[in-house]
């Protein structure tokens, strides 16, 4: 794996500089080097599932103080400590790293991948006493649900959440479900299809995965969303899709569902803000959620990239808004993007619409291509960025001492039905 000695901010600015009109500026300077300053701020601040300036959901654990030694250690000291702890622990620990993690962390991962691959990876390491998940809160929860009884799942910084995941909570989804049941009834049609199937994106709390398991539903990731929607349409007349409206809309549109049959559900409004007629005609009801990182990509950026680099291949993540996906050459999960670049002939130019750490890594790994991020002002996923090597060193050294810190543990009443929905997801291969 390619790693770099440049600081993260410097690297980000280099990649940003490829985009037409780029200023090379980042929207969150300083995020890279001292994320602990956000750990204990009063709300609005960071918390599991929260992004910059989002309120912390009630009753969530907060990141405690990271011991000073891990904040002040140099990069080389942290590197030595992490490597030594990993060597001592051997097979007792497995480190999983999402593609959006910074290279400084990815270099220690035993598995690097997208959400679907990392969920599978959690299943394949029964020998490990501890799974250290370098990703965000919902990924660690999923790993805990899939992992064995005796395994502990650790999120190095509890403040690594996902703002999109927080846009749907169990109370709002239960309320929506009750309103829909009143409208549609609960009886299947002549083909045995129930009125509505709940589908939650992997980027959601364990509660919501449990809700899907209890109500005949399923989990999807961005790599198997189309397979999952097919599964759902075989069993239901329509789908309630949460929390990401864009993934839901882009996937259903590609399957031929007309936009007028995809009303939005805004949990703050009666009937989600749609009319009864719209909901009766619906095939996919889209929750009002989005990713703040992918929402930044625009058609104007694609037009600028095409003007500056004729023949450029534009690939975006399906969390981008529909006009962006429509204007791109292709759209797919992080793994799709990785594979498309790996398969391209040397000398291809790519403009990528996804999180900068992945774009930056691909640009480093494939110097035979020109690869840049579509956005000229770079916004990393601020919550993925919470996993600094200082936290990783801390949780590993605690494990060496026989202590499990920052454990993510999903209670059985949630985990059992969530596992049902996750097993359905794992069977729906991309
Ligand atoms: P992938 O499933 O493509 O890895 O995406 C996860 C994510 O959080 C994207 O924002
Ligand atoms: Fe959540 Fe978006 Fe970050 Fe993915 S990139 S973890 S969806 S905030």
């Amino acid at each position: 794996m390619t790693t770099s000695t440049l600081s993260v901010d410097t690297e980000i600015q280099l990649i940003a500089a490829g985009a037409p009109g780029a200023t090379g500026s980042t929207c969150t300077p300083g995020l890279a080097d001292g994320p602990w300053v956000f750990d204990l701020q009063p709300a609005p601040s960071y918390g599991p599932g929260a992004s910059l300036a989002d309120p912390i959901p009630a009753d969530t654990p907060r990141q405690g103080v990271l011991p000073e030694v891990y904040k002040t250690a140099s990069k080389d000291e942290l590197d030595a400590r992490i490597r030594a702890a990993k060597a001592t622990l051997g097979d007792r620990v497995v480190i999983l790293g999402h593609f959006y993690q910074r290279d400084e962390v990815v270099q220690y991962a035993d598995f690097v991948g997208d959400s679907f691959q990392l969920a599978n990876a959690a299943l394949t390491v029964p020998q490990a006493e501890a799974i250290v998940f370098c990703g965000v809160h919902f990924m660690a929860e999923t790993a805990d649900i899939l992992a064995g009884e005796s395994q502990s799942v650790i999120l190095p910084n509890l403040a690594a959440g996902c703002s999109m995941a927080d846009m749907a909570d169990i109370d709002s989804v239960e309320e929506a479900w009750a309103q829909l049941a009143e409208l549609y009834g609960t009886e299947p049609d002549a083909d045995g299809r129930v009125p509505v199937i709940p589908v939650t994106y992997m980027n959601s709390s364990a509660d919501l995965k449990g809700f899907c398991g209890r109500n005949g539903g399923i989990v999807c990731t961005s790599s198997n969303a189309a397979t999952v929607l097919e599964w759902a349409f075989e069993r239901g007349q329509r789908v309630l899709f949460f929390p990401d409206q864009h993934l839901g809309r882009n996937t259903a549109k590609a399957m031929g569902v007309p936009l007028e049959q995809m009303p939005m559900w805004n949990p703050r409004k009666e009937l989600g803000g749609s009319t009864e007629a719209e909901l009766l005609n619906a095939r996919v009801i889209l929750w009002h959620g989005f990713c703040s990182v992918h929402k930044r990509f625009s058609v104007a950026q694609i037009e600028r990239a095409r003007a500056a680099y004729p023949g450029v291949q534009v690939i975006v993540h399906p969390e981008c808004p529909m006009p962006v996906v429509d204007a791109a050459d292709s759209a797919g999960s992080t793994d799709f993007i990785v594979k498309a670049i790996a398969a391209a002939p040397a000398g291809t130019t790519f403009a990528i619409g996804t999180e900068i750490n992945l774009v930056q890594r691909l640009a480093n790994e494939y110097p035979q291509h020109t690869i840049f991020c579509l956005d000229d002002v770079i916004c990393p996923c601020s919550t993925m960025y919470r996993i600094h090597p200082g936290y990783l060193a801390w949780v590993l050294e605690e494990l060496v001492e026989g202590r499990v810190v920052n454990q993510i543990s999903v209670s059985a009443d949630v985990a059992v039905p969530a596992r049902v929905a996750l097993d359905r997801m794992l069977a729906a291969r991309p």
Side-chain angles (χ1 to χ4, degrees):
M1 180 145 313
T2 308
T3 55
S4 167
T5 52
L6 297 174
S7 84
V8 179
D9 273 347
T10 308
E11 288 223 9
I12 285 174
Q13 285 164 21
L14 286 176
I15 294 304
T23 57
S25 59
T26 67
C27 67
T28 43
L31 188 62
D33 295 328
W36 32 83
V37 298
F38 299 106
D39 288 352
L40 292 171
Q41 284 183 351
S45 180
Y46 287 89
S51 187
L52 195 61
D54 285 336
I56 297 175
D59 302 328
T60 47
R62 297 287 299 274
Q63 178 61 44
V65 176
L66 179 70
E68 204 58 29
V69 61
Y70 299 103
K71 300 182 196 170
T72 51
S74 70
K75 212 171 162 178
D76 288 345
E77 279 170 317
L78 288 175
D79 182 59
R81 294 179 84 133
I82 291 169
R83 287 187 195 284
K86 249 198 112 181
T88 306
L89 292 163
D91 286 350
R92 291 170 50 210
V93 68
V94 165
I95 302 179
L96 305 183
H98 188 267
F99 282 133
Y100 292 166
Q101 289 292 302
R102 47 173 94 199
D103 274 358
E104 292 161 306
V105 167
V106 159
Q107 64 180 318
Y108 306 114
D110 299 299
F111 291 86
V112 183
D114 70 3
S115 305
F116 187 82
Q117 293 166 322
L118 293 178
N120 274 289
L123 283 168
T124 62
V125 289
Q127 81 290 348
E129 287 162 29
I131 297 173
V132 175
F133 210 123
C134 297
V136 290
H137 193 255
F138 70 81
M139 297 178 183
E141 277 189 330
T142 301
D144 183 58
I145 294 164
L146 296 174
E149 285 272 296
S150 61
Q151 293 179 295
S152 330
V153 176
I154 292 170
L155 183 64
N157 183 350
L158 291 177
C162 165
S163 53
M164 176 211 281
D166 291 341
M167 291 176 188
D169 62 88
I170 187 69
D171 291 345
S172 313
V173 170
E174 296 269 19
E175 174 57 29
W177 195 246
Q179 290 187 41
L180 292 176
E182 203 162 305
L183 181 66
Y184 299 135
T186 51
E187 289 306 308
D189 66 9
D191 296 324
R193 295 177 311 154
V194 296
V196 55
I197 296 272
V199 176
T200 190
Y201 188 21
M202 178 70 114
N203 301 28
S204 60
S205 67
D207 267 356
L208 296 187
K209 295 180 176 86
F211 174 89
C212 288
R214 282 186 276 113
N215 290 286
I218 185 168
V219 180
C220 77
T221 71
S222 57
S223 58
N224 71 353
T227 316
V228 165
L229 281 191
E230 277 163 20
W231 181 98
F233 285 137
E234 279 164 20
R235 291 160 177 80
Q237 297 158 47
R238 55 184 75 73
V239 162
L240 172 63
F241 190 97
F242 41 88
D244 186 19
Q245 58 171 293
H246 299 297
L247 178 65
R249 187 180 293 111
N250 288 321
T251 310
K253 183 169 177 251
M255 295 169 71
V257 179
L259 291 180
E260 56 275 17
Q261 289 193 299
M262 294 191 238
M264 189 94 92
W265 188 279
N266 180 340
R268 292 193 192 85
K269 297 184 178 168
E270 188 62 21
L271 279 184
S274 298
T275 64
E276 282 194 9
E278 285 166 338
L279 291 170
L280 287 167
N281 185 41
R283 305 270 350 263
V284 181
I285 302 160
L286 298 168
W287 199 263
H288 195 237
F290 58 85
C291 165
S292 48
V293 174
H294 290 91
K295 199 179 74 155
R296 289 182 53 84
F297 295 108
S298 68
V299 174
Q301 291 165 358
I302 296 181
E303 286 166 354
R304 279 202 295 276
R306 293 204 192 282
Y309 298 91
V312 64
Q313 285 294 302
V314 179
I315 313 182
V316 301
H317 195 280
E319 287 175 13
C320 292
M322 182 185 75
V324 175
V325 169
D326 288 349
D329 295 298
S330 55
S333 73
T334 47
D335 184 56
F336 173 89
I337 296 169
V338 169
K339 290 199 169 107
I341 290 176
T348 308
T349 301
F350 288 101
I352 306 295
T354 198
E355 209 272 348
I356 186 62
N357 281 288
L358 174 58
V359 182
Q360 165 198 316
R361 185 171 317 113
L362 289 167
N364 288 342
E365 284 179 2
Y366 294 94
Q368 65 273 39
H369 300 317
T370 301
I371 300 173
F372 61 91
C373 183
L374 269 178
D375 195 359
D376 56 354
V377 175
I378 299 303
C379 271
C381 173
S382 58
T383 47
M384 284 272 182
Y385 239 140
R386 306 263 73 80
I387 312 289
H388 182 279
Y391 293 99
L392 183 56
W394 172 55
V395 300
L396 290 176
E397 290 190 343
E398 289 291 314
L399 277 176
V400 169
E401 295 302 320
R403 292 186 291 266
V404 175
V405 292
N406 281 15
Q407 183 170 1
I408 301 298
S409 191
V410 180
S411 60
D413 56 322
V414 171
V416 171
R419 177 76 197 236
V420 172
L422 281 166
D423 282 342
R424 290 175 182 147
M425 177 201 85
L426 292 167
R429 314 279 330 164

